[in-house]
Structures are given as C-alpha cells and as structure tokens.
C-alpha cells in the first residue's frame, strides 16, 4: 500500500516512486547528498528521454556507416543525406542536450540540496524541446525538392524546409527555458548564502549554463534569420554571415558538451573513484578561462572562409592565445591528479601507477569517464587544436578527418561520459540493479575501443587520402569520371568493421539501460555501498558506512595537495609528447604542399 | 575541503599548489605560446597560408567575368590555357566552371574562387599523391583571390567537399599542371 501511495497514476513502470520524507527529501547513500524529489524526477525525465533519442540516432548510425563503407553501399545518395541528417540531429543535439539539462539539474539544485524551482518551466522547456525535436525529424524525413536535407548545418543559401528552421528555433528556445530553473536555483543559493562559495561541480555547471545560453542565443539568430529567408520575408542572406552565426550555436553547443563533460568527470571520479580536488583555485580558474575564451572556438569553422581577415582568424581560433586550450591542459592534470592524490591519501596507491591499477575499473561509472578522459584528450583534444591552426585547417577542413575529430570529442568524450551518467542515474536515482554487472563492466571498453579505432580511421582517410565528408560515394567511384579515391578502400574496411562493433557496443548500452529499468532488481535506498570508492565489500554495501571513506578527505591537517602526483605528471608528459609529435607530423604534411596564399 | 560536491571551507584561494601541478601549468603556458607563435609566424614566413584578398561579387557579374576570361584564353584538348596569371573558377551545382585548366609549374597564379548558387568546397589534390590535399570554402557573394604556385607537374583533381545538394558527390574538375 505504502508504495502505491506516492506513485503517480501515470507512473505505470514505477520509475518515479522513490520514498521521500515529509519535506520531499531523501539522503543518497552514495553521495550523501540530500535530494529533493522535484530535482530527481526531472533528472530522470530528461535522462530517459535522452536515451530514447540515442536509440533513434543509433539506428541511423547503422545506415550511415553502411553507406560510407562503399563496399556495402546501403543507401542511395538522396536517402543518405536524409539519414545523415537524422543521425546528426539525434546524436549531437537531442541525446546530448537532453542529458545536459539533466546534468545542470544535478550540478545545481541536487548538489546544493535544494528543490528544483519553477518546475513548471522545466516541464514547459521539456515539452518545447520535444516538440522542436519531433518537428525537425518530420522536416528532415519529408525533405523534397527544392529543399535539401539540412544535415547539421543547413547552410544558407542551400534551401532546407522552412519547417526545419522553425523546429530548430523551437528546440533551441526550449533548451533556454529548461535551463532557467537551474539559474534560479543558483540565484536562490547565493541569496541564502551571500558570502558562500559554490561547490566546484556547481561552479562548473554554472559556467556550462552561461556558455550554453550564449550558444543558444546564437542559434536563435541563425535559425530565425534562416527561417525568414526561407519564407522569403528576407530576400537575401549572406552565406558568410549565416556561417558565423550558425557556428556560434553549432560549435557553441559542443563547448557545452565539453564543459558539462568535465563537470561530470570531477563529479564521478570523486564519487566512485575517491578523487579529491587538488586545487580549488586552479580548477576554478580553468573554468573561468573557458567562460572567457571558449566560444571563440566557433571560429575554427571559418578558417578557410573568404571575407574574414587573417588577424581575426588568428585571434579567435587561438581562443585569444590559447586561453581555452590552457584551461583544458589544466583539467587534464587536475582530474587524474585528484584521483591519484585521493587514492594515495587513503593508502590505495603504491609506486608510480598503483593508484590507477587498483582503481575500480569494473565499475562502469568509473571506467567510462576515465576512458573518456584518455580518448578525448589523445584523439579529440589534440586534433581539435591541430585543425584549429589556420594553416593545418586547409588539410582538415571538410574532410572525413573532421568527422573523426568530432567523433573523438562528442562520442569518445561526451557520449561515453554521459553513458556513465545514465548508469549512475539508474543505480542511484532509479535505484535499480543492472541486469548484468558483467556486461555493464565490459560495455565502456567495448564501445570506447571500437569507436576509438573508428575515429582514427576517419582521420587517416581524411588526412592521408583527402576523402571528403558528407558524401555517399567518392572512394570507389566518383560519378562521371574514372578518378576515385579507391586507395583508401583498405582503411574503409577497418573503419566499417569497427564502426559496426561500436554500434553493437552502443546497442548494448541501451539494452543495459532499458533492461535494468524494466527488469533490474530494486535497490534498498540505503544500499549501493559498492559504488562508493573502496567501500566495495559486501558488508559495506548494506550500510551507510562507506561514506566514511570519503569523509577522510576532509582532514585539514592532511591536505590533499601535499600528496604525490608523479604518476599524473608522467601521464601528462606522455600526453604532451603525443601532442608535439602529431603537431610536427601535421605541419610536415602541410609544408610538402605547393605554395598557397598571399 | 577537497570534495567537488561540497563548498570549500576556509581560505581555499591561498591553499598551496602541488609543485608538479605548478610545473605542468608552466609547461601549459609555454606550449600555448608556441602554438600561437608558430601559427602567427608561419603567416609571414610560410608558403602555405589560406590567405588572399576577398571582394564582394554578384553571381551574374562573376559569371560574366569568367566568360570574358574563357573567351580570352586558349582552348586546347587538355583544357583552357589562361590568358595571363589569373585563373577563374566558378562553383555551381554540380560542376566547376572554368575547369579543366592548363597551368605551368613555377608560375604564380591568382586563383579566383566564387560560387554561383550555394556553398561549395574547393578540394584539390594531385592524383598521384592523395595526401597532398587542401580545402578552401567557396561562398556565393564572395570572390576570393588565393595565389598558388605549383612545383610538381601532374593532374590535380578538384572535388567538392561541402554538401551542395543531392548530386554533390559527382562534382569533379581537373587542373593540369605542365612543366613550365
């Protein structure tokens, strides 16, 4: 009886029926946070919806890979562009942005132990986002002449359906509305504690929110002017002008991904890996650098455009002398150093890498973010800086290598990280056991490994064979000529095989997530002790005791910054070496070219 | 003090920073300066820069300009031999106007790039070395003049690498570079 009382009549699956006290709060046994049901239920809502969009995007990944691997040649060219558009919007926008709203709610009100204010706005934002997303799907799927499939960019003056521009505008506005309760909760917190400092995760989430609003307002300008132009209310729209505004949202949303992902890295490595913040000052300064400089990254897309000056390009693409790259280098040290120092402090790390080898690798909520950190850094981060150099961009621009770059950032980085968030939400908010712990442990390695090879192959064929992006055929056949890029065929075999393995890894994620929600055993609210770092004994999991492990971190006489970070230092030097080597190789290739430019 | 999900207590700003973290910060600053310095210096000392004058141009005017240039040039079996140092290329759905063109090594040409209709991507590589490839954006409304000087003879293949509509994949042209 008790259970049915607090279950909503629409909640037939019992997904929103946690027990709360009379005030609506419960204590999380893993994080120790006081969680209000208004926050928890909205996090669940946005997170679940995100996974559904991933299913759609994943389906189209199959058809897109099946076409680009020309040996299979699944789709005709007109179908290919439609499927590619569906894949892009599902994955890059819908899956990721719905997750990001959930992450804002976690980083803000949940970490602060507050209610979610203005829940009506959260619901309205959700509904508007959903309407926008479905409108975009409809517009893409019913593309007919003179309209073309929008892909991600819908570059004016290539016409896309006016319904598409309208849908994109609606979606973007919906995100802004959904973000408002987050900002209000920060405002309420600062009113309640005027002199107080926000927790690092909340601070990072706040920065994410500001960057998000900047990006989304750029989207409002781009998509509304695109709509007016398509409806012929505005007769001409400058192609270069549209590109600049589009990329404020197009790249800006990727910066939201980046910062949200880093916030999650701090959060999860702490909660399940025992990481500590080795320097509040340094980590917060890095977030401030992002706030000031990262939106300039949008200029990367305009490096080989006519009409903008060299100085403008150098200044913006370097994020004003690499201010944002420096910030990323800071996090690249601070996060692993947090794991290292935190684990050493609790006696969990001998030697150079003992802290790492003894880490809870079987826990996907730890393994996935660490895999994401490594793959994002080595593949996504480095290539982002490379292709963001004015001259190197000539070799990267619009080739398949670009696609490899952003699959390294938004898939190997963001998606893998967000998968860990979904796992975490399933265990600690839906309070469900995984249907298979073994498969859940395996999944991040399978997905990350296969997707990593896939992304590398994309980069190789793009840089070494000049294979363009966004095309269904050119490798084995360019219609109307005997020339082709067939030398790239062997690498496409590797690409195709690993891409399908990666898709299987993604399907495994969805199966685990949905299966656990439907069939997973319920977890006692005081359970989940095995998730807490080094609290994984059977006894500990029955009690609230594991929190004590983390409490140790608070001893002021034993500061974390005094612990050894030499393992992290060595890893960072290895990273720098890889950075320098790939930098030099890319520059070598560019200097082999004929002479270009004034 | 050290949890990212709790407010830091006390004077956290003045907490010391681990020595190795400080060293890494220094390395980070140094590397950032090198990245910027080299990119900036290369625009002065390097031979490969996506830099050139840009002019606004209407599609019709550019079409006329290109036609006048073609009329002035010499039509050969291999392609058009341009009348001077200027090479005009117009990008349209789904063809490269002005190509094929016959050029010589060791001579600097001013490539004029503009689009007639939608955005296109000027993607060039010699057919014998696919890794030597560059890509420049071609926009309607802009005439971009990018100087180029080829040092190796051969057939250079031009593809479009910006999605310009259904049929985009068939957009192909040639630049034939002969020993000068």
């Amino acid at each position: 009886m008790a259970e049915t009382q607090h279950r909503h009549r629409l909640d037939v699956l019992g997904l929103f029926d946690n027990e709360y006290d009379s005030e609506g709060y419960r204590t999380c046994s893993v994080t120790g946070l006081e969680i209000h049901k208004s926050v928890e239920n909205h996090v669940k809502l946005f997170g679940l919806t995100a996974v559904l969009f991933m299913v759609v995007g994943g389906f189209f990944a199959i058809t897109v890979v099946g076409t680009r691997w020309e040996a299979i040649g699944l789709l005709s060219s007109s179908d290919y562009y439609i499927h590619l558009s569906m894949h892009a919007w599902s994955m890059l926008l819908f899956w990721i942005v719905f997750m990001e709203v959930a992450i804002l709610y976690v980083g803000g009100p949940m970490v602060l132990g507050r209610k979610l204010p203005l829940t009506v706005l959260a619901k309205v934002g959700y509904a508007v986002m959903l309407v926008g997303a479905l409108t975009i799907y409809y517009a893409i799927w019913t593309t007919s002449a003179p309209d073309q499939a929008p892909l991600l960019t819908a570059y004016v003056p290539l016409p896309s359906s006016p319904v598409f521009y309208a849908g994109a505008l609606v979606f973007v506005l919906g995100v802004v509305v959904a973000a408002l309760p987050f900002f209000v909760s920060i405002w309420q917190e600062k009113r309640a504690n005027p002199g107080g400092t926000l927790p690092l995760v909340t601070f990072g989430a706040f920065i994410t929110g500001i960057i998000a609003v900047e990006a989304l307002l750029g989207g409002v300008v781009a998509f509304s002017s695109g709509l007016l132009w398509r409806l012929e209310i505005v007769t001409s729209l400058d192609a270069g002008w549209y590109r600049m505004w589009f990329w404020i949202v197009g790249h800006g949303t990727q910066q939201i991904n980046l910062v949200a992902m880093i916030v999650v890295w701090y959060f999860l490595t702490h909660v399940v890996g025992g990481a500590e913040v080795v320097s509040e000052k340094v980590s917060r300064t890095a977030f401030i650098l992002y706030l000031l400089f990262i939106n300039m990254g949008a200029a990367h897309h305009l490096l080989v455009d006519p009409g903008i000056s060299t100085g403008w390009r150098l200044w913006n693409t370097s994020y004003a002398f690499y201010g944002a790259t420096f910030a990323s280098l800071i996090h690249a040290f601070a996060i692993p150093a947090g794991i290292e120092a935190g684990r050493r402090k609790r006696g969990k790390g001998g030697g150079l890498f003992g802290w790492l080898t003894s880490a809870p690798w079987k826990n996907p909520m730890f393994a996935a973010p660490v895999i994401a950190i490594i793959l994002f850094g080595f593949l996504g981060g480095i290539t982002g800086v490379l292709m963001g150099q004015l001259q190197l961009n000539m070799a990267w621009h619009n080739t398949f290598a670009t696609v490899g770059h952003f699959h390294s950032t938004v898939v190997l980085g963001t998606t893998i990280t967000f998968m860990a968030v979904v796992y975490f939400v399933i265990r600690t908010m839906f309070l469900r056991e995984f249907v298979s712990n073994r498969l859940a442990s395996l999944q991040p390695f399978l997905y990350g490994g296969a997707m990593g090879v896939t992304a590398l192959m994309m980069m190789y064929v793009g840089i070494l064979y000049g294979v363009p992006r966004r095309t269904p055929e050119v490798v084995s056949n360019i219609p109307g000529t005997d020339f082709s890029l067939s030398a790239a065929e062997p690498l496409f075999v590797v690409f195709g095989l690993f891409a399908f393995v990666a898709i299987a890894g993604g399907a495994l994620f969805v199966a685990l997530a949905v299966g656990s929600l439907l069939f997973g055993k319920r977890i006692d609210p005081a359970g989940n002790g095995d998730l807490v770092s080094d609290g994984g004994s059977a006894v500990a999991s029955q009690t609230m005791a594991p929190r004590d492990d983390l409490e140790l971190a608070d001893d002021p006489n034993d500061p974390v910054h005094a612990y050894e970070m030499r393992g992290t230092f060595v890893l960072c030097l290895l990273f720098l070496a890889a950075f320098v080597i790939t930098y030099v190789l890319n520059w070598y290739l560019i200097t082999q070219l004929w002479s270009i430019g004034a | 003090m050290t949890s990212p999900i709790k407010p830091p207590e006390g004077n956290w700003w003045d907490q010391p920073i681990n020595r190795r973290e400080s060293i890494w910060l220094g390395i980070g600053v140094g590397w950032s300066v090198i990245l910027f310095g080299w990119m900036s210096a290369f625009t002065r000392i390097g031979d490969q820069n996506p830099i050139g004058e840009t002019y606004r141009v209407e599609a019709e005017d550019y079409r006329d300009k290109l036609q006048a240039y073609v009329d002035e040039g010499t039509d050969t079996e291999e392609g058009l031999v341009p009348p001077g140092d200027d090479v005009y290329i117009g990008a349209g759905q789904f063809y490269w106007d002005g190509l094929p063109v016959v050029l010589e090594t060791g001579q600097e040409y001013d490539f004029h790039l503009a689009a007639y209709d939608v955005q296109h991507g000027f993607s060039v590589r010699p057919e014998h070395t696919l890794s030597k490839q560059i890509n420049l954006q071609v926009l309607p409304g802009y005439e971009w003049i990018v100087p180029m000087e080829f040092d190796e003879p051969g057939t250079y293949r031009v593809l479009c690498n910006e999605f310009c509509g259904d049929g985009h994949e068939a957009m192909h042209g040639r630049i034939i570079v002969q020993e000068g």
Side-chain angles (χ1 to χ4, degrees):
Chain A
M1 277 303 286
E3 197 184 292
T4 51
Q5 270 168 4
H6 44 81
R7 181 186 285 190
H8 191 280
R9 65 190 157 79
L10 295 177
D11 187 15
V12 284
L13 297 173
L15 296 177
F16 294 86
D17 62 352
N18 287 345
E19 294 197 31
Y20 303 94
D21 64 20
S22 56
E23 306 260 290
Y25 282 94
R26 69 181 185 88
T27 305
C28 175
S29 62
V30 178
T31 57
L33 295 170
E34 294 292 313
I35 296 173
H36 193 265
K37 66 179 176 191
S38 60
V39 189
E40 185 162 64
N41 285 340
H42 285 91
V43 169
K44 288 176 176 179
L45 179 67
F46 278 89
L48 260 185
T49 311
V51 174
L52 295 180
F53 280 112
M54 179 189 238
V55 175
V56 178
F59 171 77
F60 288 103
I62 299 171
T63 57
V64 166
V65 171
T67 309
R68 284 244 52 168
W69 188 6
E70 291 174 33
I72 296 183
L74 198 58
L75 299 175
S76 70
S77 60
S78 27
D79 285 345
Y80 171 75
Y81 295 123
I82 288 173
H83 284 232
L84 184 58
S85 306
M86 294 292 276
H87 175 67
W89 279 88
S90 301
M91 291 305 209
L92 199 54
L93 272 293
F94 306 152
W95 142 252
I96 283 179
V97 175
F98 273 94
M99 278 304 293
E100 278 161 353
V101 176
I103 288 167
L104 286 184
Y105 292 169
V106 171
M110 190 176 281
V111 166
L112 295 171
R114 310 191 71 89
K115 294 178 190 174
L116 186 69
L118 306 176
T119 49
V120 175
L121 282 188
K123 289 191 179 73
V124 169
Y126 174 85
V128 174
M129 285 169 70
L130 203 57
V131 168
L134 296 177
T135 307
I136 290 169
Y137 276 160
Y138 173 81
I140 294 173
W141 200 247
T142 57
T143 296
S144 58
D147 292 322
Q148 299 284 343
L151 304 184
L152 181 73
T153 46
Y155 279 143
V156 166
L158 185 67
S160 297
S161 161
V163 179
F164 165 79
Y165 289 109
L169 188 58
V170 168
F171 180 77
V172 165
L173 289 171
V175 183
V176 177
V177 173
L180 287 176
F182 165 79
F183 286 109
V184 171
S185 75
I186 302 284
W187 182 72
Q188 287 175 337
E189 172 72 13
K190 294 305 282 183
R191 293 271 294 189
N193 303 297
T197 304
L198 295 173
L200 180 64
V201 160
T202 310
F203 184 75
F206 184 46
I207 303 284
T208 309
I210 298 171
I211 291 171
V213 171
E214 288 175 18
L216 295 167
L217 292 180
V220 170
V221 174
F223 294 130
S224 59
S225 49
L227 180 63
L228 291 174
W229 166 78
R230 187 62 188 83
L231 294 173
E232 293 174 21
I233 297 168
V234 172
T235 49
S236 81
L237 191 56
D238 187 281
W241 184 92
Y242 176 85
R243 286 171 66 78
M244 192 174 299
W245 281 101
F246 172 79
W247 282 115
I248 290 176
V249 65
H251 202 91
T253 44
Q254 311 324 310
Q255 312 294 20
I256 315 173
N257 301 341
L258 173 80
V259 189
M261 167 176 90
I262 289 169
V263 168
V264 172
W265 289 347
Y266 277 106
F267 180 84
L268 282 179
T269 56
H270 168 70
V271 172
V272 302
E276 302 193 18
V277 183
V278 293
S279 172
E280 294 275 357
K281 174 165 67 177
V282 172
S283 291
R284 281 166 200 259
T285 304
F287 278 118
I288 296 279
L289 287 171
Y290 278 154
L291 179 64
L292 296 177
F293 299 122
I294 204 161
N295 274 349
M296 295 176 174
H300 290 164
H301 295 267
L302 314 177
L303 284 178
V304 292
D305 274 22
I308 42 180
S309 76
T310 307
W312 188 92
R313 285 181 284 172
L314 287 180
W315 170 257
N316 282 289
T317 192
S318 67
Y319 310 96
F321 299 106
Y322 289 97
T325 301
F326 177 53
S328 292
L329 291 174
I330 291 178
H331 293 303
F333 186 95
I335 295 170
I339 302 175
E340 177 171 8
R343 294 184 66 77
R344 282 190 192 280
K345 192 168 168 179
R346 277 172 291 107
K348 297 290 180 186
L352 196 56
F353 294 123
W355 54 280
L356 205 52
T357 52
S358 69
W361 290 102
K362 283 186 178 168
N363 179 349
M365 289 147 267
F366 176 81
V370 174
I371 289 170
I373 291 169
I374 296 167
L375 293 178
F376 174 88
F378 278 85
L379 296 182
I382 290 176
T383 56
V385 173
L386 296 180
M387 67 193 296
Q389 293 238 300
L390 181 66
Q391 299 84 355
L392 299 183
N393 191 261
M394 281 194 291
W396 283 78
H397 181 71
N398 275 355
T399 66
F400 210 33
T402 304
V403 186
H405 158 72
F406 68 71
H407 279 77
S408 304
T409 53
V410 295
V411 183
L412 296 174
T414 309
T415 290
I416 292 179
T417 301
F418 288 4
M419 283 174 168
V421 175
V422 171
Y423 285 140
F424 188 75
V425 169
I426 289 170
R427 285 290 302 268
T428 65
M429 295 189 209
F430 287 106
L431 292 171
R432 297 293 202 283
E433 294 280 2
F434 296 135
V435 280
S436 165
N437 281 322
R438 186 181 290 245
L439 287 176
S441 299
L442 175 76
Q443 189 272 334
F445 293 93
L446 174 70
Y447 185 69
M451 199 66 220
V453 177
T454 306
L456 264 179
M457 289 306 126
M458 290 172 169
M459 294 184 210
Y460 286 155
V461 298
I463 288 294
L464 298 180
Y465 298 97
V467 176
R469 66 188 290 196
R470 294 178 160 179
T471 173
E473 49 185 344
V474 290
V475 173
S476 55
N477 171 45
I478 298 171
T481 171
D482 55 352
F483 173 67
S484 74
L485 305 174
S486 54
E489 269 170 5
L491 287 181
F492 263 96
V493 175
V494 184
F495 157 79
L497 290 174
F498 277 89
F500 282 125
V501 175
I503 292 169
L508 177 60
F509 164 76
V510 172
L512 282 167
V514 177
S516 302
L517 288 179
L518 295 179
F519 308 115
K521 262 191 286 182
R522 270 176 192 272
I523 297 170
D524 184 81
N528 266 337
D530 62 313
L531 287 190
V532 179
S533 52
D534 312 320
S537 69
V539 182
S541 70
Q542 302 303 314
T543 68
M544 302 284 283
R547 287 296 314 156
D548 294 344
D549 281 5
L550 284 182
E551 297 300 335
L552 277 179
D554 283 345
D555 183 355
N557 297 319
D558 188 19
V560 70
H561 62 77
Y563 280 83
E564 280 285 359
M565 299 175 193
R566 60 182 197 274
T568 301
F569 193 65
V570 169
L571 292 177
C572 281
L573 290 179
L574 281 174
F575 170 73
L576 185 69
F579 203 153
V580 173
I581 289 166
T582 41
Y583 188 72
V584 170
L585 285 176
N586 270 265
W587 271 102
Y588 172 75
L589 274 180
I590 211 78
T591 53
Q592 295 307 297
L593 293 169
W594 60 95
S595 140
I596 302 149
Chain B
M1 186 69 210
T2 57
S3 161
I5 56 174
K6 288 179 194 164
E9 288 158 15
N11 187 353
W12 52 266
W13 183 263
D14 285 343
Q15 284 284 321
I17 298 169
N18 182 286
R19 191 171 54 90
R20 286 200 171 82
E21 186 163 30
S22 305
I23 296 170
W24 179 252
L25 294 179
I27 292 173
V29 170
W31 182 232
S32 297
V33 170
I34 291 172
L35 289 174
F36 182 84
W38 177 248
M39 173 168 69
S40 180
F42 201 83
T43 62
R44 288 162 232 278
I45 62 167
D47 285 335
Q48 291 84 16
N49 287 292
I51 296 173
E53 295 282 323
T54 309
Y55 299 92
R56 288 201 179 272
V57 67
E58 292 297 321
E60 279 317 300
D61 296 341
Y62 191 75
R63 229 183 252 276
D64 294 346
K65 248 200 255 189
L66 192 136
Q67 194 50 52
Y69 149 87
V70 170
D71 292 345
E72 221 186 305
T74 317
D75 225 358
T76 69
E77 222 162 83
E78 296 264 302
L80 180 81
V81 177
D85 295 343
D86 290 297
V87 176
Y88 284 83
I89 296 175
Q93 289 166 320
F94 304 97
Y95 62 101
W96 293 103
D97 204 4
L99 297 184
V101 68
V102 183
L103 307 179
E104 290 183 352
T105 57
Q107 181 174 348
E108 185 174 285
Y109 294 94
D110 281 333
F111 275 69
H112 297 243
L113 301 168
Y116 293 151
D117 36 42
V118 299
Q119 304 191 16
H120 297 277
F122 182 69
S123 172
V124 198
R125 77 279 286 142
E127 62 181 13
H128 52 273
T129 320
L130 296 180
S131 64
K132 291 188 176 182
Q133 47 94 27
I134 61 133
N135 305 275
L136 300 171
Q137 194 76 15
V138 186
L139 302 181
Y142 294 90
E143 178 178 349
W144 195 10
I145 306 169
V146 182
M148 292 196 201
E149 180 183 329
F150 294 94
D151 43 18
E152 278 176 34
T155 302
Y156 288 67
R157 300 286 182 160
V158 182
L159 299 177
C160 176
N161 70 354
E162 183 59 80
F163 175 64
C164 57
D166 190 1
H168 147 70
E169 64 279 3
M171 201 166 152
H172 164 262
R174 276 173 300 142
I175 299 170
I176 293 106
V177 178
Q178 297 174 342
E179 200 74 61

